[in-house]
Amino acid sequence: MNESGAPLGGGLSGRVALITGGNGGIGGTFARALAARGCTVLILGRNEQKSLQVAEEIRAAGGRAETYTADVTDEAGLGRVAEDIVQRFGGLNILINAAGGNVRAATAQQDQLADAGEETTFFDLPAESLQQEVDLNLRGTWLPCKVMAPLMEGRTGACILNISSMGALTRIPGYSAAKAGVSSFTRWLATYLARSGIRVNALAPGFFSTEQNRALQFNEDGTPKPRLQKILAGTPMGRLGRLEELTGAMLFLTDERASGFVTGVVLPVDGGFSAYSGV
Ligand SMILES: NC(=O)c1ccc[n+]([C@@H]2O[C@H](COP(=O)([O-])OP(=O)(O)OC[C@H]3O[C@@H](n4cnc5c(N)ncnc54)[C@H](O)[C@@H]3O)[C@@H](O)[C@H]2O)c1
């Protein structure tokens, strides 16, 4: 419930929401949830087929959804999307940056150097793998904010929601660094836009199983990897999150009747992972 006693997200009807990675696990969940609350959802992804699937599912349920095929690291491509949005929808109310994830080539194969055998260590990782992580996760958030925020000025309930992550995680140094950048950039942009009527926040999900991290958590035959046992041991609630459990936090941060004075926060949704020191 929000301040007016209305259900969370109940005031979002009629809003136009662009979701990068809206064809993925978290982005798709958010697309369906916002469409169910009356938003026109614009799904942006690289894989047109995957985007169309989500859009068709939303339309079949009576919602409004359109798709854009673009890469979040390509400024010119995002510019063309922005022009089309202005022509067809007049502007944007909500931007959710949910494209991102791990890059396999940027992964060390052990938690600590002392455990290393023959397999890839941090010292074997090519510098390009850091660039790939930073491009996808940080540039891929920075650029959509830069290109789309001008479409949001003066629009009701204008807000940006980025997706950060937990702090430094073992094995994925570039991802951890890039997501720290996303958290810091979120706070910077929130300050910068605070008097322009655009709120900027981020979610920091704990551990949810989706396409981009499945190989870190499960073997090919579906059995859990030791890393998953570690994740569960480090999560006081003792389980992975369910994607729907991110929806309430997303609706809270995008519904200005609930969070109109909230900007610059990075909200963990993690079953207690970030609160727990391990002892
Ligand atoms: N799943 C988790 O446990 C978890 C935890 C913390 C943070 N996150 C973050 O949440 C976000 C969403 O991840 P997810 O778990 O839903 O992953 P996902 O792989 O299911 O979805 C990511 C989507 O982004 C799209 N994408 C990738 N690169 C792109 C590009 N360059 N341009 C446009 N689209 C691109 C992919 O096609 C995919 O559909 C990511 O930023 C991820 O780092 C996820």
Side-chain angles (χ1 to χ4, degrees), residues 21 23-27 44-47 50 70-73 98-102 136-137 163-165 175 179 205-213 217:
N23 55 8
I26 293 175
L44 184 149
R46 277 182 313 186
N47 183 325
K50 268 172 66 182
D71 187 317
V72 289
T73 65
N102 291 309
L136 172 57
N137 291 290
I163 313 290
S164 185
S165 184
Y175 178 83
K179 288 298 191 183
F207 295 88
F208 297 74
S209 192
T210 60
E211 203 172 306
Q212 53 85 23
N213 62 9
Q217 297 173 353

PDB file of all heavy atoms in Angstrom, residues 21 23-27 44-47 50 70-73 98-102 136-137 163-165 175 179 205-213 217, ligand 1:
ATOM      1  N   GLY A  21      16.985  -5.142 -21.621  1.00  0.00           N
ATOM      2  CA  GLY A  21      17.018  -6.526 -21.122  1.00  0.00           C
ATOM      3  C   GLY A  21      15.635  -6.987 -20.687  1.00  0.00           C
ATOM      4  O   GLY A  21      15.495  -7.899 -19.880  1.00  0.00           O
ATOM      5  N   ASN A  23      13.734  -8.691 -22.162  1.00  0.00           N
ATOM      6  CA  ASN A  23      13.492 -10.059 -22.639  1.00  0.00           C
ATOM      7  C   ASN A  23      14.225 -11.089 -21.777  1.00  0.00           C
ATOM      8  O   ASN A  23      14.249 -12.263 -22.104  1.00  0.00           O
ATOM      9  CB  ASN A  23      13.924 -10.193 -24.109  1.00  0.00           C
ATOM     10  CG  ASN A  23      15.369  -9.767 -24.319  1.00  0.00           C
ATOM     11  OD1 ASN A  23      16.081  -9.508 -23.349  1.00  0.00           O
ATOM     12  ND2 ASN A  23      15.803  -9.693 -25.552  1.00  0.00           N
ATOM     13  N   GLY A  24      14.833 -10.651 -20.674  1.00  0.00           N
ATOM     14  CA  GLY A  24      15.595 -11.564 -19.812  1.00  0.00           C
ATOM     15  C   GLY A  24      14.795 -11.960 -18.579  1.00  0.00           C
ATOM     16  O   GLY A  24      13.590 -11.679 -18.477  1.00  0.00           O
ATOM     17  N   GLY A  25      15.489 -12.599 -17.628  1.00  0.00           N
ATOM     18  CA  GLY A  25      14.811 -13.100 -16.431  1.00  0.00           C
ATOM     19  C   GLY A  25      14.208 -11.973 -15.600  1.00  0.00           C
ATOM     20  O   GLY A  25      12.985 -11.906 -15.410  1.00  0.00           O
ATOM     21  N   ILE A  26      15.053 -11.053 -15.123  1.00  0.00           N
ATOM     22  CA  ILE A  26      14.569  -9.977 -14.253  1.00  0.00           C
ATOM     23  C   ILE A  26      13.772  -8.954 -15.073  1.00  0.00           C
ATOM     24  O   ILE A  26      12.658  -8.574 -14.701  1.00  0.00           O
ATOM     25  CB  ILE A  26      15.753  -9.314 -13.513  1.00  0.00           C
ATOM     26  CG1 ILE A  26      16.367 -10.315 -12.520  1.00  0.00           C
ATOM     27  CG2 ILE A  26      15.322  -8.039 -12.803  1.00  0.00           C
ATOM     28  CD1 ILE A  26      17.622  -9.836 -11.802  1.00  0.00           C
ATOM     29  N   GLY A  27      14.327  -8.537 -16.223  1.00  0.00           N
ATOM     30  CA  GLY A  27      13.633  -7.539 -17.052  1.00  0.00           C
ATOM     31  C   GLY A  27      12.272  -8.035 -17.525  1.00  0.00           C
ATOM     32  O   GLY A  27      11.294  -7.275 -17.540  1.00  0.00           O
ATOM     33  N   LEU A  44      13.418  -3.614 -24.733  1.00  0.00           N
ATOM     34  CA  LEU A  44      14.607  -3.420 -25.564  1.00  0.00           C
ATOM     35  C   LEU A  44      15.598  -4.549 -25.293  1.00  0.00           C
ATOM     36  O   LEU A  44      15.948  -4.823 -24.144  1.00  0.00           O
ATOM     37  CB  LEU A  44      15.250  -2.066 -25.257  1.00  0.00           C
ATOM     38  CG  LEU A  44      16.452  -1.660 -26.122  1.00  0.00           C
ATOM     39  CD1 LEU A  44      16.507  -0.146 -26.265  1.00  0.00           C
ATOM     40  CD2 LEU A  44      17.775  -2.180 -25.577  1.00  0.00           C
ATOM     41  N   GLY A  45      16.029  -5.229 -26.366  1.00  0.00           N
ATOM     42  CA  GLY A  45      17.013  -6.294 -26.221  1.00  0.00           C
ATOM     43  C   GLY A  45      17.733  -6.518 -27.530  1.00  0.00           C
ATOM     44  O   GLY A  45      17.356  -5.964 -28.563  1.00  0.00           O
ATOM     45  N   ARG A  46      18.788  -7.342 -27.467  1.00  0.00           N
ATOM     46  CA  ARG A  46      19.526  -7.643 -28.704  1.00  0.00           C
ATOM     47  C   ARG A  46      18.844  -8.754 -29.478  1.00  0.00           C
ATOM     48  O   ARG A  46      18.958  -8.828 -30.693  1.00  0.00           O
ATOM     49  CB  ARG A  46      20.949  -8.097 -28.355  1.00  0.00           C
ATOM     50  CG  ARG A  46      21.900  -6.965 -28.126  1.00  0.00           C
ATOM     51  CD  ARG A  46      23.276  -7.489 -27.846  1.00  0.00           C
ATOM     52  NE  ARG A  46      23.227  -8.567 -26.855  1.00  0.00           N
ATOM     53  CZ  ARG A  46      24.285  -9.146 -26.329  1.00  0.00           C
ATOM     54  NH1 ARG A  46      25.481  -8.773 -26.703  1.00  0.00           N
ATOM     55  NH2 ARG A  46      24.175 -10.093 -25.429  1.00  0.00           N
ATOM     56  N   ASN A  47      18.172  -9.644 -28.769  1.00  0.00           N
ATOM     57  CA  ASN A  47      17.584 -10.823 -29.391  1.00  0.00           C
ATOM     58  C   ASN A  47      16.095 -10.566 -29.661  1.00  0.00           C
ATOM     59  O   ASN A  47      15.260 -10.625 -28.750  1.00  0.00           O
ATOM     60  CB  ASN A  47      17.794 -12.019 -28.455  1.00  0.00           C
ATOM     61  CG  ASN A  47      17.279 -13.295 -29.042  1.00  0.00           C
ATOM     62  OD1 ASN A  47      16.275 -13.319 -29.749  1.00  0.00           O
ATOM     63  ND2 ASN A  47      17.969 -14.382 -28.746  1.00  0.00           N
ATOM     64  N   LYS A  50      13.451 -13.269 -28.639  1.00  0.00           N
ATOM     65  CA  LYS A  50      13.159 -13.342 -27.198  1.00  0.00           C
ATOM     66  C   LYS A  50      12.270 -12.171 -26.759  1.00  0.00           C
ATOM     67  O   LYS A  50      11.376 -12.319 -25.936  1.00  0.00           O
ATOM     68  CB  LYS A  50      14.477 -13.297 -26.406  1.00  0.00           C
ATOM     69  CG  LYS A  50      15.063 -14.670 -26.111  1.00  0.00           C
ATOM     70  CD  LYS A  50      16.454 -14.574 -25.496  1.00  0.00           C
ATOM     71  CE  LYS A  50      16.490 -13.962 -24.125  1.00  0.00           C
ATOM     72  NZ  LYS A  50      17.864 -13.844 -23.574  1.00  0.00           N
ATOM     73  N   ALA A  70      18.060  -3.465 -30.039  1.00  0.00           N
ATOM     74  CA  ALA A  70      19.221  -2.566 -29.938  1.00  0.00           C
ATOM     75  C   ALA A  70      20.176  -3.121 -28.893  1.00  0.00           C
ATOM     76  O   ALA A  70      19.810  -3.966 -28.075  1.00  0.00           O
ATOM     77  CB  ALA A  70      18.768  -1.165 -29.526  1.00  0.00           C
ATOM     78  N   ASP A  71      21.401  -2.619 -28.952  1.00  0.00           N
ATOM     79  CA  ASP A  71      22.446  -3.006 -28.011  1.00  0.00           C
ATOM     80  C   ASP A  71      22.641  -1.826 -27.048  1.00  0.00           C
ATOM     81  O   ASP A  71      22.827  -0.688 -27.508  1.00  0.00           O
ATOM     82  CB  ASP A  71      23.734  -3.292 -28.814  1.00  0.00           C
ATOM     83  CG  ASP A  71      24.842  -3.861 -27.950  1.00  0.00           C
ATOM     84  OD1 ASP A  71      25.041  -3.351 -26.831  1.00  0.00           O
ATOM     85  OD2 ASP A  71      25.514  -4.790 -28.421  1.00  0.00           O
ATOM     86  N   VAL A  72      22.626  -2.099 -25.750  1.00  0.00           N
ATOM     87  CA  VAL A  72      22.728  -1.000 -24.777  1.00  0.00           C
ATOM     88  C   VAL A  72      24.090  -0.315 -24.782  1.00  0.00           C
ATOM     89  O   VAL A  72      24.255   0.727 -24.153  1.00  0.00           O
ATOM     90  CB  VAL A  72      22.385  -1.454 -23.343  1.00  0.00           C
ATOM     91  CG1 VAL A  72      20.912  -1.727 -23.191  1.00  0.00           C
ATOM     92  CG2 VAL A  72      23.229  -2.648 -22.908  1.00  0.00           C
ATOM     93  N   THR A  73      25.066  -0.904 -25.470  1.00  0.00           N
ATOM     94  CA  THR A  73      26.381  -0.266 -25.516  1.00  0.00           C
ATOM     95  C   THR A  73      26.551   0.590 -26.773  1.00  0.00           C
ATOM     96  O   THR A  73      27.621   1.156 -26.993  1.00  0.00           O
ATOM     97  CB  THR A  73      27.512  -1.316 -25.466  1.00  0.00           C
ATOM     98  OG1 THR A  73      27.454  -2.119 -26.652  1.00  0.00           O
ATOM     99  CG2 THR A  73      27.373  -2.218 -24.262  1.00  0.00           C
ATOM    100  N   ALA A  98      17.854  -3.177 -17.168  1.00  0.00           N
ATOM    101  CA  ALA A  98      18.001  -4.571 -16.703  1.00  0.00           C
ATOM    102  C   ALA A  98      18.847  -5.420 -17.650  1.00  0.00           C
ATOM    103  O   ALA A  98      18.912  -6.628 -17.478  1.00  0.00           O
ATOM    104  CB  ALA A  98      16.632  -5.210 -16.495  1.00  0.00           C
ATOM    105  N   ALA A  99      19.465  -4.794 -18.651  1.00  0.00           N
ATOM    106  CA  ALA A  99      20.410  -5.553 -19.483  1.00  0.00           C
ATOM    107  C   ALA A  99      21.737  -5.602 -18.726  1.00  0.00           C
ATOM    108  O   ALA A  99      22.179  -4.596 -18.177  1.00  0.00           O
ATOM    109  CB  ALA A  99      20.602  -4.892 -20.839  1.00  0.00           C
ATOM    110  N   GLY A 100      22.363  -6.757 -18.696  1.00  0.00           N
ATOM    111  CA  GLY A 100      23.640  -6.870 -17.999  1.00  0.00           C
ATOM    112  C   GLY A 100      23.911  -8.303 -17.632  1.00  0.00           C
ATOM    113  O   GLY A 100      23.183  -9.202 -18.050  1.00  0.00           O
ATOM    114  N   GLY A 101      24.980  -8.506 -16.885  1.00  0.00           N
ATOM    115  CA  GLY A 101      25.283  -9.857 -16.428  1.00  0.00           C
ATOM    116  C   GLY A 101      26.758 -10.196 -16.514  1.00  0.00           C
ATOM    117  O   GLY A 101      27.600  -9.352 -16.845  1.00  0.00           O
ATOM    118  N   ASN A 102      27.043 -11.449 -16.206  1.00  0.00           N
ATOM    119  CA  ASN A 102      28.431 -11.941 -16.238  1.00  0.00           C
ATOM    120  C   ASN A 102      28.890 -12.202 -17.656  1.00  0.00           C
ATOM    121  O   ASN A 102      28.100 -12.606 -18.495  1.00  0.00           O
ATOM    122  CB  ASN A 102      28.522 -13.282 -15.514  1.00  0.00           C
ATOM    123  CG  ASN A 102      28.307 -13.154 -14.038  1.00  0.00           C
ATOM    124  OD1 ASN A 102      28.946 -12.333 -13.394  1.00  0.00           O
ATOM    125  ND2 ASN A 102      27.403 -13.941 -13.496  1.00  0.00           N
ATOM    126  N   LEU A 136      29.232  -3.809 -20.897  1.00  0.00           N
ATOM    127  CA  LEU A 136      27.859  -4.299 -20.777  1.00  0.00           C
ATOM    128  C   LEU A 136      27.152  -3.698 -19.561  1.00  0.00           C
ATOM    129  O   LEU A 136      26.043  -3.184 -19.665  1.00  0.00           O
ATOM    130  CB  LEU A 136      27.866  -5.840 -20.686  1.00  0.00           C
ATOM    131  CG  LEU A 136      26.523  -6.498 -20.362  1.00  0.00           C
ATOM    132  CD1 LEU A 136      25.450  -6.116 -21.378  1.00  0.00           C
ATOM    133  CD2 LEU A 136      26.684  -8.015 -20.314  1.00  0.00           C
ATOM    134  N   ASN A 137      27.808  -3.756 -18.396  1.00  0.00           N
ATOM    135  CA  ASN A 137      27.096  -3.413 -17.158  1.00  0.00           C
ATOM    136  C   ASN A 137      27.118  -1.923 -16.826  1.00  0.00           C
ATOM    137  O   ASN A 137      26.106  -1.392 -16.371  1.00  0.00           O
ATOM    138  CB  ASN A 137      27.679  -4.229 -15.994  1.00  0.00           C
ATOM    139  CG  ASN A 137      27.357  -5.701 -16.123  1.00  0.00           C
ATOM    140  OD1 ASN A 137      26.210  -6.098 -15.962  1.00  0.00           O
ATOM    141  ND2 ASN A 137      28.350  -6.516 -16.460  1.00  0.00           N
ATOM    142  N   ILE A 163      20.031  -1.733 -12.208  1.00  0.00           N
ATOM    143  CA  ILE A 163      20.201  -2.990 -11.485  1.00  0.00           C
ATOM    144  C   ILE A 163      21.684  -3.156 -11.164  1.00  0.00           C
ATOM    145  O   ILE A 163      22.507  -3.363 -12.052  1.00  0.00           O
ATOM    146  CB  ILE A 163      19.711  -4.221 -12.288  1.00  0.00           C
ATOM    147  CG1 ILE A 163      18.326  -3.985 -12.913  1.00  0.00           C
ATOM    148  CG2 ILE A 163      19.696  -5.453 -11.375  1.00  0.00           C
ATOM    149  CD1 ILE A 163      17.170  -3.914 -11.974  1.00  0.00           C
ATOM    150  N   SER A 164      21.985  -3.031  -9.868  1.00  0.00           N
ATOM    151  CA  SER A 164      23.351  -3.256  -9.408  1.00  0.00           C
ATOM    152  C   SER A 164      23.479  -4.713  -8.949  1.00  0.00           C
ATOM    153  O   SER A 164      22.853  -5.602  -9.547  1.00  0.00           O
ATOM    154  CB  SER A 164      23.681  -2.254  -8.297  1.00  0.00           C
ATOM    155  OG  SER A 164      25.026  -2.393  -7.942  1.00  0.00           O
ATOM    156  N   SER A 165      24.239  -4.949  -7.931  1.00  0.00           N
ATOM    157  CA  SER A 165      24.429  -6.333  -7.473  1.00  0.00           C
ATOM    158  C   SER A 165      25.004  -6.286  -6.065  1.00  0.00           C
ATOM    159  O   SER A 165      25.186  -5.215  -5.502  1.00  0.00           O
ATOM    160  CB  SER A 165      25.386  -7.054  -8.433  1.00  0.00           C
ATOM    161  OG  SER A 165      25.517  -8.404  -8.075  1.00  0.00           O
ATOM    162  N   TYR A 175      32.939  -7.993 -13.235  1.00  0.00           N
ATOM    163  CA  TYR A 175      31.511  -7.793 -12.944  1.00  0.00           C
ATOM    164  C   TYR A 175      31.362  -7.025 -11.632  1.00  0.00           C
ATOM    165  O   TYR A 175      30.598  -6.059 -11.542  1.00  0.00           O
ATOM    166  CB  TYR A 175      30.825  -9.154 -12.865  1.00  0.00           C
ATOM    167  CG  TYR A 175      29.351  -9.124 -12.530  1.00  0.00           C
ATOM    168  CD1 TYR A 175      28.395  -8.905 -13.519  1.00  0.00           C
ATOM    169  CD2 TYR A 175      28.898  -9.331 -11.226  1.00  0.00           C
ATOM    170  CE1 TYR A 175      27.031  -8.898 -13.216  1.00  0.00           C
ATOM    171  CE2 TYR A 175      27.546  -9.322 -10.909  1.00  0.00           C
ATOM    172  CZ  TYR A 175      26.617  -9.112 -11.911  1.00  0.00           C
ATOM    173  OH  TYR A 175      25.274  -9.103 -11.601  1.00  0.00           O
ATOM    174  N   LYS A 179      29.628  -3.368 -11.378  1.00  0.00           N
ATOM    175  CA  LYS A 179      28.399  -3.130 -10.607  1.00  0.00           C
ATOM    176  C   LYS A 179      28.633  -2.100  -9.495  1.00  0.00           C
ATOM    177  O   LYS A 179      27.722  -1.342  -9.150  1.00  0.00           O
ATOM    178  CB  LYS A 179      27.874  -4.448 -10.034  1.00  0.00           C
ATOM    179  CG  LYS A 179      27.281  -5.377 -11.089  1.00  0.00           C
ATOM    180  CD  LYS A 179      26.072  -4.764 -11.793  1.00  0.00           C
ATOM    181  CE  LYS A 179      25.332  -5.784 -12.632  1.00  0.00           C
ATOM    182  NZ  LYS A 179      24.198  -5.229 -13.383  1.00  0.00           N
ATOM    183  N   PRO A 205      20.035  -6.972  -6.377  1.00  0.00           N
ATOM    184  CA  PRO A 205      19.526  -8.324  -6.097  1.00  0.00           C
ATOM    185  C   PRO A 205      20.625  -9.188  -5.499  1.00  0.00           C
ATOM    186  O   PRO A 205      21.802  -9.045  -5.843  1.00  0.00           O
ATOM    187  CB  PRO A 205      19.126  -8.857  -7.489  1.00  0.00           C
ATOM    188  CG  PRO A 205      19.069  -7.659  -8.398  1.00  0.00           C
ATOM    189  CD  PRO A 205      20.069  -6.683  -7.832  1.00  0.00           C
ATOM    190  N   GLY A 206      20.225 -10.092  -4.617  1.00  0.00           N
ATOM    191  CA  GLY A 206      21.134 -11.132  -4.151  1.00  0.00           C
ATOM    192  C   GLY A 206      21.238 -12.182  -5.248  1.00  0.00           C
ATOM    193  O   GLY A 206      21.583 -11.862  -6.382  1.00  0.00           O
ATOM    194  N   PHE A 207      20.868 -13.414  -4.960  1.00  0.00           N
ATOM    195  CA  PHE A 207      21.091 -14.504  -5.928  1.00  0.00           C
ATOM    196  C   PHE A 207      19.773 -15.083  -6.438  1.00  0.00           C
ATOM    197  O   PHE A 207      18.956 -15.578  -5.654  1.00  0.00           O
ATOM    198  CB  PHE A 207      21.973 -15.575  -5.290  1.00  0.00           C
ATOM    199  CG  PHE A 207      23.345 -15.027  -4.988  1.00  0.00           C
ATOM    200  CD1 PHE A 207      23.601 -14.387  -3.781  1.00  0.00           C
ATOM    201  CD2 PHE A 207      24.355 -15.083  -5.940  1.00  0.00           C
ATOM    202  CE1 PHE A 207      24.851 -13.837  -3.514  1.00  0.00           C
ATOM    203  CE2 PHE A 207      25.607 -14.541  -5.678  1.00  0.00           C
ATOM    204  CZ  PHE A 207      25.852 -13.916  -4.470  1.00  0.00           C
ATOM    205  N   PHE A 208      19.596 -14.985  -7.734  1.00  0.00           N
ATOM    206  CA  PHE A 208      18.429 -15.472  -8.459  1.00  0.00           C
ATOM    207  C   PHE A 208      18.995 -16.273  -9.635  1.00  0.00           C
ATOM    208  O   PHE A 208      20.016 -15.888 -10.198  1.00  0.00           O
ATOM    209  CB  PHE A 208      17.593 -14.288  -8.981  1.00  0.00           C
ATOM    210  CG  PHE A 208      17.030 -13.421  -7.888  1.00  0.00           C
ATOM    211  CD1 PHE A 208      17.844 -12.544  -7.180  1.00  0.00           C
ATOM    212  CD2 PHE A 208      15.690 -13.488  -7.554  1.00  0.00           C
ATOM    213  CE1 PHE A 208      17.338 -11.748  -6.154  1.00  0.00           C
ATOM    214  CE2 PHE A 208      15.166 -12.699  -6.534  1.00  0.00           C
ATOM    215  CZ  PHE A 208      15.989 -11.827  -5.832  1.00  0.00           C
ATOM    216  N   SER A 209      18.354 -17.344 -10.009  1.00  0.00           N
ATOM    217  CA  SER A 209      18.924 -18.141 -11.090  1.00  0.00           C
ATOM    218  C   SER A 209      18.336 -17.700 -12.429  1.00  0.00           C
ATOM    219  O   SER A 209      17.132 -17.820 -12.647  1.00  0.00           O
ATOM    220  CB  SER A 209      18.635 -19.619 -10.836  1.00  0.00           C
ATOM    221  OG  SER A 209      19.417 -20.374 -11.723  1.00  0.00           O
ATOM    222  N   THR A 210      19.173 -17.147 -13.297  1.00  0.00           N
ATOM    223  CA  THR A 210      18.733 -16.731 -14.634  1.00  0.00           C
ATOM    224  C   THR A 210      19.804 -17.155 -15.636  1.00  0.00           C
ATOM    225  O   THR A 210      20.836 -17.713 -15.260  1.00  0.00           O
ATOM    226  CB  THR A 210      18.519 -15.201 -14.725  1.00  0.00           C
ATOM    227  OG1 THR A 210      19.758 -14.566 -14.434  1.00  0.00           O
ATOM    228  CG2 THR A 210      17.437 -14.704 -13.783  1.00  0.00           C
ATOM    229  N   GLU A 211      19.548 -16.829 -16.917  1.00  0.00           N
ATOM    230  CA  GLU A 211      20.433 -17.306 -17.981  1.00  0.00           C
ATOM    231  C   GLU A 211      21.896 -16.918 -17.760  1.00  0.00           C
ATOM    232  O   GLU A 211      22.804 -17.727 -17.932  1.00  0.00           O
ATOM    233  CB  GLU A 211      19.922 -16.729 -19.298  1.00  0.00           C
ATOM    234  CG  GLU A 211      20.335 -17.506 -20.506  1.00  0.00           C
ATOM    235  CD  GLU A 211      19.620 -16.985 -21.732  1.00  0.00           C
ATOM    236  OE1 GLU A 211      18.380 -16.909 -21.713  1.00  0.00           O
ATOM    237  OE2 GLU A 211      20.325 -16.631 -22.691  1.00  0.00           O
ATOM    238  N   GLN A 212      22.119 -15.632 -17.359  1.00  0.00           N
ATOM    239  CA  GLN A 212      23.501 -15.139 -17.333  1.00  0.00           C
ATOM    240  C   GLN A 212      24.337 -15.710 -16.188  1.00  0.00           C
ATOM    241  O   GLN A 212      25.550 -15.612 -16.216  1.00  0.00           O
ATOM    242  CB  GLN A 212      23.516 -13.603 -17.325  1.00  0.00           C
ATOM    243  CG  GLN A 212      22.683 -12.907 -16.257  1.00  0.00           C
ATOM    244  CD  GLN A 212      23.385 -12.743 -14.930  1.00  0.00           C
ATOM    245  OE1 GLN A 212      24.606 -12.753 -14.869  1.00  0.00           O
ATOM    246  NE2 GLN A 212      22.637 -12.623 -13.843  1.00  0.00           N
ATOM    247  N   ASN A 213      23.710 -16.288 -15.164  1.00  0.00           N
ATOM    248  CA  ASN A 213      24.530 -16.807 -14.057  1.00  0.00           C
ATOM    249  C   ASN A 213      24.320 -18.301 -13.802  1.00  0.00           C
ATOM    250  O   ASN A 213      24.901 -18.858 -12.867  1.00  0.00           O
ATOM    251  CB  ASN A 213      24.269 -16.016 -12.765  1.00  0.00           C
ATOM    252  CG  ASN A 213      22.837 -16.119 -12.292  1.00  0.00           C
ATOM    253  OD1 ASN A 213      22.056 -16.910 -12.809  1.00  0.00           O
ATOM    254  ND2 ASN A 213      22.484 -15.306 -11.311  1.00  0.00           N
ATOM    255  N   GLN A 217      26.220 -21.392 -11.175  1.00  0.00           N
ATOM    256  CA  GLN A 217      25.518 -22.029 -10.051  1.00  0.00           C
ATOM    257  C   GLN A 217      25.269 -23.527 -10.251  1.00  0.00           C
ATOM    258  O   GLN A 217      25.239 -24.284  -9.288  1.00  0.00           O
ATOM    259  CB  GLN A 217      24.171 -21.318  -9.820  1.00  0.00           C
ATOM    260  CG  GLN A 217      24.318 -19.865  -9.423  1.00  0.00           C
ATOM    261  CD  GLN A 217      22.982 -19.134  -9.355  1.00  0.00           C
ATOM    262  OE1 GLN A 217      21.945 -19.675  -9.733  1.00  0.00           O
ATOM    263  NE2 GLN A 217      23.002 -17.898  -8.906  1.00  0.00           N
TER     264      GLN A 217
HETATM  265  N1  LIG B   1      20.101 -13.069 -11.573  1.00  0.00           N
HETATM  266  C1  LIG B   1      20.752 -12.616 -10.516  1.00  0.00           C
HETATM  267  O1  LIG B   1      20.958 -13.325  -9.526  1.00  0.00           O
HETATM  268  C2  LIG B   1      21.250 -11.202 -10.498  1.00  0.00           C
HETATM  269  C3  LIG B   1      21.791 -10.726  -9.301  1.00  0.00           C
HETATM  270  C4  LIG B   1      22.258  -9.424  -9.247  1.00  0.00           C
HETATM  271  C5  LIG B   1      22.176  -8.616 -10.357  1.00  0.00           C
HETATM  272  N2  LIG B   1      21.645  -9.106 -11.523  1.00  0.00           N
HETATM  273  C6  LIG B   1      21.587  -8.208 -12.665  1.00  0.00           C
HETATM  274  O2  LIG B   1      20.266  -8.100 -13.138  1.00  0.00           O
HETATM  275  C7  LIG B   1      20.299  -7.747 -14.518  1.00  0.00           C
HETATM  276  C8  LIG B   1      19.404  -8.711 -15.287  1.00  0.00           C
HETATM  277  O3  LIG B   1      19.985  -9.986 -15.232  1.00  0.00           O
HETATM  278  P1  LIG B   1      19.181 -11.355 -15.366  1.00  0.00           P
HETATM  279  O4  LIG B   1      19.638 -12.206 -14.244  1.00  0.00           O
HETATM  280  O5  LIG B   1      17.749 -11.097 -15.593  1.00  0.00           O
HETATM  281  O6  LIG B   1      19.904 -11.915 -16.674  1.00  0.00           O
HETATM  282  P2  LIG B   1      19.317 -12.436 -18.069  1.00  0.00           P
HETATM  283  O7  LIG B   1      20.479 -12.978 -18.803  1.00  0.00           O
HETATM  284  O8  LIG B   1      18.153 -13.320 -17.841  1.00  0.00           O
HETATM  285  O9  LIG B   1      18.812 -11.077 -18.724  1.00  0.00           O
HETATM  286  C9  LIG B   1      19.671 -10.106 -19.236  1.00  0.00           C
HETATM  287  C10 LIG B   1      19.106  -9.656 -20.560  1.00  0.00           C
HETATM  288  O10 LIG B   1      19.919  -8.608 -21.098  1.00  0.00           O
HETATM  289  C11 LIG B   1      20.081  -8.836 -22.485  1.00  0.00           C
HETATM  290  N3  LIG B   1      21.319  -8.230 -22.937  1.00  0.00           N
HETATM  291  C12 LIG B   1      22.579  -8.676 -22.673  1.00  0.00           C
HETATM  292  N4  LIG B   1      23.481  -7.867 -23.253  1.00  0.00           N
HETATM  293  C13 LIG B   1      22.775  -6.891 -23.888  1.00  0.00           C
HETATM  294  C14 LIG B   1      23.139  -5.770 -24.670  1.00  0.00           C
HETATM  295  N5  LIG B   1      24.421  -5.481 -24.896  1.00  0.00           N
HETATM  296  N6  LIG B   1      22.154  -4.984 -25.179  1.00  0.00           N
HETATM  297  C15 LIG B   1      20.875  -5.276 -24.949  1.00  0.00           C
HETATM  298  N7  LIG B   1      20.454  -6.322 -24.204  1.00  0.00           N
HETATM  299  C16 LIG B   1      21.402  -7.127 -23.690  1.00  0.00           C
HETATM  300  C17 LIG B   1      20.140 -10.347 -22.626  1.00  0.00           C
HETATM  301  O11 LIG B   1      19.800 -10.765 -23.940  1.00  0.00           O
HETATM  302  C18 LIG B   1      19.106 -10.789 -21.592  1.00  0.00           C
HETATM  303  O12 LIG B   1      17.832 -10.911 -22.170  1.00  0.00           O
HETATM  304  C19 LIG B   1      21.774  -7.813 -14.939  1.00  0.00           C
HETATM  305  O13 LIG B   1      22.309  -6.508 -14.885  1.00  0.00           O
HETATM  306  C20 LIG B   1      22.404  -8.660 -13.860  1.00  0.00           C
HETATM  307  O14 LIG B   1      23.770  -8.385 -13.706  1.00  0.00           O
HETATM  308  C21 LIG B   1      21.166 -10.376 -11.614  1.00  0.00           C
END
